Amino acid sequence: MARKLKTYQTSLGFFDLAIATPSMKAALEAWGADSNLFHQGAAKESDDPDVIAAAMANPGVVLRRPVGTDRPFSEHAELPTDLGGGGPTKAVRKSKGPKAKQPSPRPVDKVAERKAAFDYERERRSRELERAKEEAARQKERERRQAVDKAQAALDKAEQEHAKRAAAIQAEVEALEKSSQAEKARWDKEKERLEAALRRARG
């Protein structure tokens, strides 16, 4: 069952960030934070209906807006326009007034919330499935390479053994050839001696 999503906010660098996730841990991972911003008081669960609506419409997606402004959150936000003179602190002071004038929070659309949670869970499962497929493909490739390496090693070993045996046989052939030549020379000499003796006996 899909876990209920909550909307979390923080400020990093030049942007306010918002995201709809099932947990603070998931939000921190999506923001790429290397420390617990919630424990530090730098992040919180949002109660702004506009922020919640924007985040729930894009579950699991990090939304941005220039830091300290009231602009709508979006996936691709422009940098603040007043970076040169006074920095973001002016924008923060200016933004306090309009925030006090915001209408009272609207009730969260339960249907939209459930749909956002379902979309988030579906996207999470899709990413996990894709990662599992990629890992299976990598494992298959590793096994294929291991099989190739094993077969190549067996072939190399067999070739070395063959070369060793062929060399031994060749050495035996050369030794037999040498023995054969020596035997022929001995026989030629012996035959000549015996034939000479035969001729002398015949007178």
Side-chain angles (χ1 to χ4, degrees):
M1 183 176 179
R3 296 172 60 187
K4 182 178 179 181
L5 299 185
K6 295 181 179 180
T7 300
Y8 300 102
Q9 273 186 262
T10 190
S11 294
L12 289 176
F14 298 119
F15 296 102
D16 291 333
L17 308 180
I19 190 171
T21 63
S23 65
M24 293 179 180
K25 180 181 178 182
L28 291 171
E29 290 177 355
W31 291 334
D34 54 6
S35 61
N36 194 325
L37 302 177
F38 294 96
H39 287 179
Q40 298 168 7
K44 65 177 182 177
E45 182 179 350
S46 178
D47 57 3
D48 187 319
D50 293 330
V51 176
I52 293 172
M56 289 296 181
N58 299 275
V61 177
V62 177
L63 303 181
R64 296 174 173 81
R65 72 180 178 189
V67 67
T69 69
D70 295 330
R71 297 181 188 177
F73 278 94
S74 63
E75 189 172 353
H76 305 289
E78 296 180 356
L79 286 169
T81 57
D82 54 356
L83 294 178
T89 54
K90 286 187 176 181
V92 171
R93 286 196 295 271
K94 290 179 181 178
S95 65
K96 288 181 180 178
K99 282 189 177 180
K101 297 178 183 179
Q102 288 182 353
S104 58
R106 299 191 301 269
V108 177
D109 186 336
K110 296 297 182 183
V111 174
E113 186 179 77
R114 284 196 297 272
K115 182 179 182 302
F118 176 80
D119 290 344
Y120 177 88
E121 185 66 16
R122 182 178 59 185
E123 180 63 22
R124 183 187 66 79
R125 290 181 180 178
S126 176
R127 287 195 297 267
E128 288 182 353
L129 180 61
E130 188 63 29
R131 283 195 294 268
K133 287 181 179 179
E134 291 174 356
E135 179 57 31
R138 285 193 293 269
Q139 179 61 26
K140 186 175 181 181
E141 178 62 18
R142 283 194 293 269
E143 291 174 354
R144 186 190 68 79
R145 285 199 300 268
Q146 289 173 355
V148 169
D149 291 344
K150 185 177 180 180
Q152 184 64 51
L155 175 60
D156 293 344
K157 183 178 180 181
E159 286 181 340
Q160 291 173 2
E161 186 66 23
H162 165 69
K164 184 178 179 181
R165 291 183 179 182
I169 292 171
Q170 183 63 31
E172 291 178 2
V173 168
E174 291 175 356
L176 288 171
E177 182 65 26
K178 187 176 181 180
S179 296
S180 176
Q181 291 174 357
E183 175 58 23
K184 185 177 184 302
R186 185 200 68 80
W187 168 243
D188 288 345
K189 186 181 293 187
E190 179 69 10
K191 182 180 178 183
E192 185 179 348
R193 184 183 68 80
L194 293 174
E195 287 176 345
L198 178 61
R199 286 193 298 270
R200 284 195 301 271
R202 288 174 176 174

